Every structure is written in C-alpha cells, then in structure tokens.
Amino acid sequence: MAGEQKRFARFFFYLRNLREAALHTGARAEEAEDRGLELLHSAETEAELKNLEEADSDTLSYVKRGLNRIAFGAVNDAVKLVFDAENMTARDIMGMDLFNVSEIKISGKNVLEIKFFDRQKALEKLGELAPQLDGGGESKRLIESIYGRDGDSL
C-alpha cells in the first residue's frame, strides 16, 4: 500500500486534483474521489507530499504545473455539465474539476456556454518557460518523481 500512497502523492502534487490522482493510481472512476480522500489523509501520503513540497519551492514550477493542467488536463466534467446540468445539484457541481474552464455563461433559455482556456497558448507558454525551468534538469526530475527512479511505470 505504501507504493500506492507514494504514487498518489506524486500525482496529487503535480496535478492538484484529488480525483485525477486517484485514477492514475488505479482507482475506478466511481470510487476515485473517496479513494483519493482516503489516500490523501494517510500518514505516508502526507510525508511524501511534505518531501515534494520541500524539494520544490520554486514559483515557476507552480506556474508550470498550472500550465500543464491547462494543456493536458481532462475536460470530462465540463462536458458532463453541458449535457446534464439540469439534473445536477450544487454539490455535484462543486465536486467537478473545472480547472480548464475560463468562463461559464447561461444565455437565453436552456443555453449553457462554456469557454476553456487555450491549450495551444498554454503549450506556447510552457515552451517559453522551458529554458528557465529546465536549467537544472527539471523535466527529468518531474518524470522521475511521477514514475519513480526505478522505472516502475503506470
């Protein structure tokens, strides 16, 4: 179980998304949020998150994580909102990952507009920041941090 907690901590650290981190560690979609909460509150996960935070206090890395979420993040919850907004409760909506959404607007009767942040611009910004971020091998450390040094893959 410690390996699962460590892997969850790595994904949560970089994604800042409980559900996505749990899915990446093998949780089924219907149990991902509950499993993520369980893993997040374990002593092993807390210790790993503390280690990752201490090793990565650079502000640019936080910017990079946000841009990565915009560039590569899922939009499933936003699409679900478009198709089933009428049947959702406020609690359902509060539990959604809408990080990639820049604007939600209701116009007219039963018209929901959702605008997303521009993935292409996020990738361009990542490219612009790459020299500053990769000076010390940040990309290699990121990959090793997520997948482990010993090559255990997802």
Side-chain angles (χ1 to χ4, degrees):
M1 174 114 80
E4 179 187 19
Q5 291 159 332
K6 190 170 186 170
R7 182 177 288 172
F8 172 83
R10 290 176 192 154
F11 276 106
F12 183 78
F13 180 75
Y14 286 102
L15 298 173
R16 297 296 182 191
N17 183 295
L18 182 83
R19 186 174 183 277
E20 284 184 49
L23 288 170
H24 283 294
T25 57
R28 293 178 307 169
E30 59 273 5
E31 68 179 22
E33 193 168 323
D34 290 339
R35 185 66 184 137
L37 282 170
E38 186 180 316
L39 287 166
L40 183 63
H41 293 294
S42 74
E44 292 87 352
T45 299
E46 288 178 9
E48 182 66 16
L49 284 170
K50 184 178 178 187
N51 290 339
L52 290 166
E53 290 287 348
E54 288 172 359
D56 186 25
S57 61
D58 182 15
T59 303
L60 280 178
S61 63
Y62 289 104
V63 171
K64 181 180 180 185
R65 282 199 295 275
L67 290 170
N68 274 328
R69 282 193 68 194
I70 291 170
F72 304 110
V75 296
N76 300 9
D77 285 344
V79 172
K80 190 185 316 179
L81 182 61
V82 168
F83 287 105
D84 201 25
E86 294 174 355
N87 297 319
M88 292 190 173
T89 65
R91 183 181 176 141
D92 292 334
I93 294 170
M94 291 300 292
M96 296 180 125
D97 176 17
L98 300 174
F99 188 86
N100 285 338
V101 174
S102 66
E103 184 179 337
I104 297 176
K105 184 169 41 170
I106 299 174
S107 59
K109 186 175 181 177
N110 296 327
V111 177
L112 179 68
E113 292 181 48
I114 296 181
K115 292 184 181 178
F116 296 94
F117 288 107
D118 189 328
R119 291 179 186 264
Q120 182 63 36
K121 284 184 183 176
L123 287 168
E124 289 170 6
K125 281 292 179 194
L126 282 168
E128 290 172 16
L129 290 174
Q132 296 166 358
L133 291 167
D134 263 350
E138 171 97 3
S139 295
K140 184 174 187 241
R141 284 195 305 274
L142 170 65
I143 291 167
E144 285 178 350
S145 178
I146 291 174
Y147 295 105
R149 294 182 200 273
D150 57 356
D152 66 339
S153 61
L154 297 176

